[in-house]
């Protein structure tokens, strides 16, 4: 069975985000970029399934500008067998990515598609679900545990939902999006980094996939949330009551 | 807070000896929340964890961090059981070497207190026993003074007035910053007045073009780092104590740290100082010029003199720009010789982008994995004898990554490395750094530690460790780690409890060994109280005499940080 894993190149989780002065977006030039943490978890899960003998190949896929190749290299260094880079400049929204993936899945025919539950730059949490909708595949989102059965026919997925854990049974092929507690991603070891150099990153364009995307969304403005006001130490209960009544408007 | 006070009083009464600071069951646990590198927090811990801010130290809680795993404070509080409280005896050998209290120093009286209250206001005069307790004890919990008074000036003028007064009254003083020093230099030996600079913590100016930062001496290093982060610059030094240490203290001790390999020592980065001398004279040398050859460059006297020549009140420092591409590799070597060869290779192949080169041996690694939560072995497949951490900092991600990977590939192919991992994002990098920066903390949790900080020729460095292991056998765990790139070894001997027999096997052997190699008995930690009598191992008699002469000129009454840095006999000769 082939497993496809979608990975996204985002601003590194630990970087302090700054908004561009013209408020058109977030500052991304000269800022450390890395693989989306949830995508790392997705890739790790795929690798573990392959190591248990259930899958024959793990393919890392990324959609975006030229620099996505860096993220794919990381994926290959972690252990993916090959990578596909769909070159597509400009901002991409989940629906566009989903359409691209539909075309890719039709071509590659994997048994499982793993994604991170959401990207930490837009927090959309839509791509996995949309792909499943377009493909008419079952989906198990926010997975905190994935167990495949003997014949790779059914996946049992524990989902983290607001009320607790929900267990679903999915017929393969299926889309699974991964949540934080699914696993702890491995480090890219030197031997694997060296092996990754000889692994292939196939480049595709939108024309190759016969996909047309247009965006119905336009970002008008990006601003920082209002700065948190410092707390004030009050000198007496009377002052507190006064402030509560007049400033906080507590009746 | 009330609970803490009551409980601490209870604990104090349970101590057999109330006034003897040597056997004191009070247990301070210094923990580092794993955010932003490491913040020092001092808590009192009994059977259960106390999730509270400490009275004296600031906790800087950050969710995003450069060297930390971004987990909140609760995850890092150590789990101490009641047998974790250990009695701390100052070993007799070193007590013998601590000089008697200098009889020419006066003791404080009520007139002094009223004067200080007039100058500093009520808030600046601290006589509260709880707070003094903390200020009297060093981070290692090895030394404890008995000062009855702590002053917290807010302006240089106040420092000047205090010192002038103390000089005229012949009251000894101890300048204190973050109190994170490891040689007992920041706490009183007897009843010296503590002058804590922590309240002078303003950033005065920052030039965005030149990167020159001017700030007061009480600014915490980590806060300066955050400030500079916003401006696109970094501090030229970085050390594990960044959450609590203050820049004035860093300058006074010529702190080294993790970035010295790349940015050099503070003697190079500090452009100017404002210092208050023992008699209250304010020396304004707060230049912001990169080049200024006009007369004797006096600021270098104060950099590294550990508060014995003057109190630093303002610092002007050159900060390097923040570069976007930081890469970190955690590597394993079979033997020490390979570590050295890797160092040479790294310097030539990585060249200008190399920014840190650290090593730790297998004992250090085991301790860290044993005591620190949330850390996993980056190379779990097998046990390795030596681990090396290499960091590169540059302006072009692709160029740096290519260079680093080419270097690593060659190193593996030539057999210098047995394994390694490269951090793929900042979080992974932080966890690797946490391993290296967490060794002192792990040692603290393991038991008693005899800590030595030596500069040695890199080829000979590990020979000392092996000889020490032979000498001590199974009696103690000899742990080695340090700034291999700078030739700086942190040799730590870990035992269950302080034991004079073990100390006798360590000292003076370690100092004599170092001296024979013409090494330094204190590469970056300084002399403080711990090594004041050992100065001759790394300095000729004539050199020490000149040091004493300079001390006499700048501080004739010897009130600034007495009993430290210079050996008492040398001072009495002048």
């Amino acid at each position: 069975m082939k497993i496809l894993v979608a990975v996204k190149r985002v601003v590194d989780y630990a970087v302090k985000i700054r908004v561009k002065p013209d408020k058109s977006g977030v500052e991304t030039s000269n800022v450390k970029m890395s693989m989306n943490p949830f995508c790392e978890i997705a890739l790790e899960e795929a690798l573990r399934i392959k190591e248990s003998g259930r899958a024959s190949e793990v393919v890392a896929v990324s959609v975006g500008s030229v620099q996505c190749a860096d993220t794919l290299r990381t994926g290959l260094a972690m252990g993916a067998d090959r990578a596909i880079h769909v070159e597509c400049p400009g901002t991409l929204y989940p629906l566009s990515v989903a359409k691209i993936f539909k075309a890719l899945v039709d071509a590659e025919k994997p048994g499982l598609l793993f994604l991170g539950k959401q990207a930490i730059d837009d927090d959309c949490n839509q791509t996995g679900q949309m792909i499943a909708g377009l493909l008419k595949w079952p989906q198990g989102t926010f997975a905190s545990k994935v167990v495949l059965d003997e014949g790779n026919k059914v996946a049992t997925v524990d989902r983290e939902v607001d009320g607790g854990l929900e267990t679903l049974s999915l017929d393969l092929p299926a889309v699974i999006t991964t949540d934080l507690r699914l696993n702890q991603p491995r480090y890219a070891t030197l031997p694997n980094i060296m092996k990754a150099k000889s692994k292939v990153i196939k480049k595709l364009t939108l024309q190759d996939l016969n996909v047309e995307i247009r965006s119905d969304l336009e970002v008008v403005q990006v601003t920082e949330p209002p700065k948190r006001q410092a707390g004030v130490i009050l000198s007496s209960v009377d002052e507190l009551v006064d402030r509560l009544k007049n400033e906080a408007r507590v009746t | 807070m009330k609970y803490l006070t009551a409980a601490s009083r209870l604990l104090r009464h349970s101590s057999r000896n109330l006034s003897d600071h040597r056997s004191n069951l009070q247990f301070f646990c210094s923990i580092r929340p794993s955010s932003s590198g490491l913040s020092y927090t001092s808590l009192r811990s009994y059977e259960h964890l106390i999730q509270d801010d400490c009275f004296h130290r600031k906790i800087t809680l950050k969710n995003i961090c450069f060297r930390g795993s971004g987990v909140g404070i609760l995850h890092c509080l150590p789990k101490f059981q009641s047998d974790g409280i250990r009695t701390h005896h100052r070993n007799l050998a070193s007590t013998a070497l601590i000089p008697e209290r200098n009889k020419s120093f006066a003791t404080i009286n009520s007139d002094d207190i009223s004067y200080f209250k007039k100058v500093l206001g009520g808030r600046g005069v601290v006589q509260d026993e709880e707070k003094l307790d903390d200020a009297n004890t060093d981070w290692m919990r090895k030394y404890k003074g008995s000062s009855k008074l702590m002053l917290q000036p807010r302006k240089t003028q106040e420092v000047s007035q205090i010192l002038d007064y103390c000089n005229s009254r012949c009251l000894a003083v101890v300048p204190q910053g973050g109190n994170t020093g490891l040689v007992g230099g920041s706490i009183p030996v007897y009843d010296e007045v503590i002058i804590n600079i922590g309240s002078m913590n303003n950033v005065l100016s920052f030039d965005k073009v030149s990167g020159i930062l001017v700030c007061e001496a009480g600014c915490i290093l980590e806060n300066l780092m955050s400030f500079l982060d916003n401006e696109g610059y970094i501090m030229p030094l970085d050390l594990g104590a960044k959450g609590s240490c203050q820049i004035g203290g860093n300058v006074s001790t010529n702190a080294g740290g993790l970035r010295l390999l790349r940015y050099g020592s503070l003697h190079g980065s500090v452009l100017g100082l404002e210092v208050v001398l023992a008699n209250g004279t304010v020396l304004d040398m707060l230049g912001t010029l990169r080049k200024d050859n006009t007369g004797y460059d006096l600021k270098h006297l104060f950099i590294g003199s550990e508060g014995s020549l003057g109190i630093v009140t303002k610092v002007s420092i050159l900060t390097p720009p923040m570069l976007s591409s930081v890469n970190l590799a955690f590597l394993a070597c079979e033997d020490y010789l390979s570590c050295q060869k890797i160092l040479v290779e790294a310097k030539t192949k990585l060249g200008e982008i190399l920014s840190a080169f650290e090593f730790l041996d297998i004992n250090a690694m085991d301790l860290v994995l044993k005591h620190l939560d949330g850390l996993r072995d980056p190379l779990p497949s097998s046990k390795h004898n030596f681990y090396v951490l290499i960091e590169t900092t540059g302006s072009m991600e692709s160029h740096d990554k290519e260079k680093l990977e080419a270097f690593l590939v060659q190193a593996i192919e030539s057999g210098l490395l047995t394994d390694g991992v490269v951090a793929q994002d900042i979080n992974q990098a932080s966890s690797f750094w946490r391993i290296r920066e967490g060794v002192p903390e792990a040692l603290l949790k393991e038991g008693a530690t005899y800590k030595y900080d030596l500069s040695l020729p890199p080829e000979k460095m590990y020979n000392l460790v092996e000889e020490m292991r032979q000498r001590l056998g199974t009696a103690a765990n000899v742990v080695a780690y340090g700034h291999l790139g700078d030739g700086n070894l942190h040799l730590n001997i870990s035992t269950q409890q302080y034991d004079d027999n073990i100390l006798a096997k360590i000292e003076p052997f370690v100092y004599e060994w170092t001296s024979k190699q013409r090494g330094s008995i204190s590469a970056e930690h300084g002399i403080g109280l711990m090594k004041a009598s050992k100065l001759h191992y790394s300095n000729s008699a004539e050199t020490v005499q000149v040091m004493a002469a300079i001390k006499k000129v700048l501080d004739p009454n010897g009130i600034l940080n007495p009993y430290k840095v210079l050996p008492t006999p040398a001072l009495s000769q002048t």
Side-chain angles (χ1 to χ4, degrees):
Chain A
M1 176 175 73
K2 192 193 307 188
I3 304 182
L4 233 59
V5 182
V7 296
K8 186 176 181 186
R9 179 172 180 264
V10 296
V11 177
D12 192 300
Y13 164 69
V15 165
K16 205 182 291 188
I17 306 291
R18 254 182 279 272
V19 176
K20 283 198 247 201
D22 61 0
K23 297 198 181 161
S24 61
V26 157
E27 191 73 69
T28 49
S29 60
N30 232 17
V31 153
K32 174 105 182 147
M33 307 286 274
S34 17
M35 194 191 288
N36 183 33
F38 295 109
C39 299
E40 273 180 15
I41 295 173
L43 184 55
E44 173 66 23
E45 194 61 23
L47 291 171
R48 288 188 189 186
I49 293 176
K50 180 180 138 189
E51 278 161 8
S52 70
R54 296 283 172 80
S56 56
E57 197 185 23
V58 172
V59 185
V61 183
S62 194
V63 182
S65 63
V66 177
Q67 291 105 326
C68 284
D70 295 335
T71 316
L72 288 171
R73 289 254 162 254
T74 304
L76 291 172
M78 279 172 72
D81 298 295
R82 59 184 171 92
I84 299 175
H85 178 195
V86 180
E87 278 190 15
C88 182
T91 337
L92 284 165
Y93 293 106
L95 189 54
S96 314
V97 176
K99 288 182 184 165
I100 294 172
F101 266 91
K102 176 175 184 316
L104 211 54
V105 166
D106 288 339
E108 292 277 335
K109 301 195 190 359
L112 257 181
L113 178 57
F114 272 102
L115 297 98
K117 71 172 179 180
Q118 65 198 61
I120 59 169
D121 53 1
D122 54 23
D123 279 332
C124 281
N125 186 5
Q126 297 167 10
T127 314
Q129 291 88 330
M130 285 177 174
I131 299 178
L134 290 173
L135 289 171
K136 299 213 196 320
W137 279 13
Q139 55 179 277
T141 52
F142 313 111
S144 65
K145 188 160 144 195
V146 174
V147 178
L148 294 180
D149 78 323
E150 285 298 316
N152 280 356
K153 289 277 180 286
V154 173
T156 310
V157 175
D158 281 0
R159 303 179 59 220
E160 289 193 7
V161 295
D162 286 342
L165 288 175
E166 181 187 52
T167 310
L168 291 184
S169 187
L170 310 173
D171 291 331
L172 297 188
V175 173
I176 298 180
T177 71
T178 59
D179 206 330
L180 199 60
R181 277 155 283 272
L182 178 57
N183 60 43
Q184 204 172 36
R186 62 192 62 186
Y187 294 123
T189 59
L190 274 182
N192 282 341
I193 293 177
M194 283 165 61
K195 277 191 228 154
K197 295 211 182 297
S198 53
K199 291 182 187 168
V200 171
I201 299 184
K202 186 158 102 180
K203 286 208 196 310
L204 293 174
T205 60
L206 291 180
Q207 283 151 314
D208 296 332
L209 291 171
N210 243 339
V211 174
E212 250 181 58
I213 55 168
R214 59 157 220 285
S215 179
D216 296 329
L217 295 173
E218 182 199 328
V219 172
V220 172
Q221 192 189 73
V222 175
T223 52
E224 272 187 32
K227 290 239 178 318
R228 203 168 154 230
Q229 298 288 343
V232 177
I233 296 183
L234 302 173
S235 53
S236 70
V237 176
D238 292 326
E239 199 186 335
L240 173 64
V241 171
D242 175 59
R243 292 255 196 153
L244 282 173
K245 274 204 190 135
N246 298 324
E247 283 184 30
R249 308 239 174 257
V250 173
T251 43
Chain B
M1 275 310 191
K2 263 201 182 147
Y3 158 70
L4 287 171
T5 324
S8 69
R9 284 214 193 97
L10 205 68
L11 208 63
R12 219 184 296 144
H13 283 293
S14 72
S15 166
R16 262 164 282 138
N17 214 327
L18 285 178
S19 55
D20 182 353
H21 54 251
R22 282 183 291 168
S23 69
N24 195 331
L25 282 175
Q26 274 176 343
F27 187 71
F28 288 83
C29 80
S30 278
I31 58 103
R32 306 180 184 200
S34 64
S35 43
S36 259
L38 305 150
S39 288
Y40 278 46
T41 312
S42 179
L43 293 177
R44 291 182 200 216
S45 152
Y46 308 115
E47 263 96 51
H48 26 267
L49 306 173
I50 298 170
Q51 309 154 18
D52 201 332
D53 191 351
C54 152
F55 338 90
H56 318 299
R57 307 255 172 97
K58 263 184 8 180
I59 296 182
T60 46
L61 278 177
K62 290 195 183 168
N63 295 318
I64 307 292
C65 49
F66 267 97
R67 299 206 173 133
S69 54
V71 178
I73 191 171
L74 289 174
H75 285 251
C76 345
L77 286 171
K79 294 176 177 35
F80 279 107
Q81 288 95 44
S82 43
D83 61 353
I85 300 176
R86 53 181 196 276
T87 315
H88 199 116
H89 294 284
R90 196 189 300 193
N91 38 62
L92 295 171
S94 53
T95 334
L97 295 168
I98 292 175
E100 294 270 300
R101 186 183 180 285
N102 189 330
K103 293 189 186 40
S104 60
F105 292 149
T107 37
I108 25 172
N109 54 38
S110 50
D111 289 336
D112 301 325
I113 307 278
S114 356
Y115 177 79
F116 293 136
K117 283 203 170 132
K118 201 164 52 122
V119 171
L120 302 172
R123 276 177 80 193
V125 178
V126 176
Q127 291 175 282
D128 174 52
E129 272 184 48
E130 307 278 353
K131 295 188 185 162
L132 278 176
D133 224 36
D134 202 23
N136 267 314
T137 316
D138 78 322
W139 186 79
M140 297 269 293
R141 278 172 273 122
K142 209 169 160 195
Y143 301 103
K144 193 170 163 111
S146 36
S147 170
K148 298 275 181 295
L149 177 66
M150 176 159 74
L151 302 175
Q152 294 178 316
R154 305 178 80 97
K155 297 194 297 250
T156 307
Q157 184 54 26
E158 289 173 5
V159 178
S160 169
Q161 284 177 282
I162 298 172
L163 279 180
D164 182 19
Y165 183 83
C166 289
N167 193 34
S168 60
R169 278 273 292 131
C170 219
L171 286 167
V173 304
V174 171
Q176 189 179 82
N179 197 7
T180 55
L182 300 169
V183 287
S186 51
I187 41 108
V189 181
Y190 297 106
D191 60 344
E192 297 91 273
V193 175
I194 302 173
I195 301 183
N196 191 302
I197 304 290
S199 306
M200 299 174 62
N201 56 7
N202 295 312
V203 170
L204 298 172
S205 75
F206 179 68
D207 182 334
K208 289 190 221 270
V209 174
S210 60
I212 296 177
L213 172 73
V214 182
C215 62
E216 291 181 329
C219 294
I220 293 183
L221 185 60
E222 193 165 52
N223 292 349
L224 289 176
M225 287 172 160
S226 318
F227 169 79
L228 288 175
D229 202 52
N230 273 330
E231 309 285 339
Y233 284 82
I234 56 169
M235 285 300 278
L237 79 162
D238 185 8
L239 46 156
K242 63 191 125 197
S244 298
C245 66
Q246 296 168 14
I247 189 69
N250 292 141
V251 167
S252 302
T253 55
N254 191 21
L258 305 159
R259 288 190 184 145
L260 194 129
L261 183 69
R262 170 77 167 250
Y263 300 113
S265 90
L266 284 174
H267 280 289
S269 339
V270 170
L271 299 179
L273 292 178
E274 183 192 71
V275 178
V276 181
L277 298 177
N279 61 5
T281 310
V282 176
L283 269 189
D284 179 3
M285 307 174 290
L286 199 61
T288 51
L289 304 169
R290 196 73 183 81
K291 301 166 89 168
D292 183 10
N293 281 351
T294 52
Y296 303 158
D297 199 351
L298 291 182
K299 65 177 188 287
H300 291 292
L301 270 182
F302 300 100
I303 301 175
S305 55
E306 305 181 39
S308 60
L309 295 178
I311 297 187
V312 173
T313 48
K314 293 199 181 83
V315 177
S316 152
I317 189 166
L318 182 64
T319 64
M322 177 157 63
L323 299 174
S324 53
S325 156
V326 179
N327 286 303
L328 192 62
F330 196 91
L331 311 163
C333 293
E334 197 48 52
D335 53 30
Y336 183 68
L337 189 60
S338 312
C339 293
Q340 282 181 65
K341 288 188 181 158
I342 291 266
L343 173 60
V344 175
E345 284 296 301
K347 283 188 174 162
T348 43
K349 297 275 159 44
L350 296 174
E352 73 283 5
I353 61 168
L354 183 64
S355 58
F357 194 102
E358 302 284 317
F359 93 106
L360 49 155
D361 70 3
I362 189 176
N363 292 357
M365 185 65 155
D366 286 341
L367 272 182
V368 168
L369 292 175
K370 178 174 160 194
H371 287 290
L372 265 50
D373 289 328
L375 281 181
R376 48 177 174 140
D377 187 349
L379 300 163
S381 48
S382 54
K383 277 283 174 210
H384 302 273
N385 291 329
F386 291 90
Y387 296 93
V388 167
L389 206 65
I390 297 184
E391 187 193 58
T392 67
T393 309
S395 48
M396 211 158 107
E397 178 83 40
S398 47
H399 161 261
D400 291 356
K401 231 185 163 102
E402 209 182 294
K403 228 162 149 166
L404 180 62
E405 285 184 0
F407 158 73
L408 291 174
V409 161
Q410 203 194 24
I412 271 213
E413 281 171 353
S414 54
L416 287 179
L417 292 180
T418 52
D419 203 354
V421 286
V422 177
Q424 298 298 320
D425 55 42
I426 298 184
N427 261 336
Q428 288 185 2
S430 306
S431 36
F432 295 166
W433 269 121
R434 177 108 175 83
I435 294 176
R436 162 60 185 89
E437 286 184 319
V439 183
E441 188 189 338
L443 282 163
L444 201 62
K445 289 185 189 166
E446 175 76 357
T449 316
Y450 291 102
K451 212 180 249 302
Y452 298 94
D453 164 45
L454 312 161
S455 263
L456 291 166
E459 326 80 74
K460 303 271 170 53
M461 214 187 275
Y462 211 70
N463 296 348
L464 174 57
V465 182
E466 285 166 350
E467 279 194 46
M468 193 58 81
R469 284 198 178 124
Q470 274 180 348
R471 278 177 80 87
L472 292 170
T474 48
N477 181 11
V478 180
V479 171
Y481 61 99
H483 314 288
L484 188 53
D486 309 326
N488 184 188
L489 172 73
H490 289 314
L491 178 70
N492 282 257
I493 291 123
S494 175
T495 58
Q496 277 298 93
Q497 285 176 341
Y498 288 101
D499 179 350
D500 287 334
N501 294 326
I502 295 186
L503 180 64
K505 289 208 183 108
I506 304 174
E507 291 185 27
F509 169 72
V510 66
Y511 294 131
E512 285 172 353
W513 203 100
T514 307
S515 190
K516 232 187 298 181
Q517 305 297 332
R518 289 200 64 115
S520 165
I521 53 154
S522 187
E524 57 179 8
H525 290 172
I527 296 294
L529 180 62
M530 179 179 163
K531 301 176 197 172
S533 53
K534 312 274 190 294
L535 215 54
H536 62 277
Y537 282 108
S538 291
N539 284 296
S540 70
E542 298 77 23
T543 318
V544 178
Q545 268 167 28
V546 174
M547 290 186 198
I550 295 175
K551 167 80 171 168
K552 195 75 183 169
V553 165
L554 292 175
D555 181 16
N557 292 332
I559 60 164
L560 289 174
N561 224 358
Y563 321 112
K564 316 241 179 79
V565 187
L566 296 177
T568 313
L571 289 170
S572 51
Q573 274 167 26
T574 53

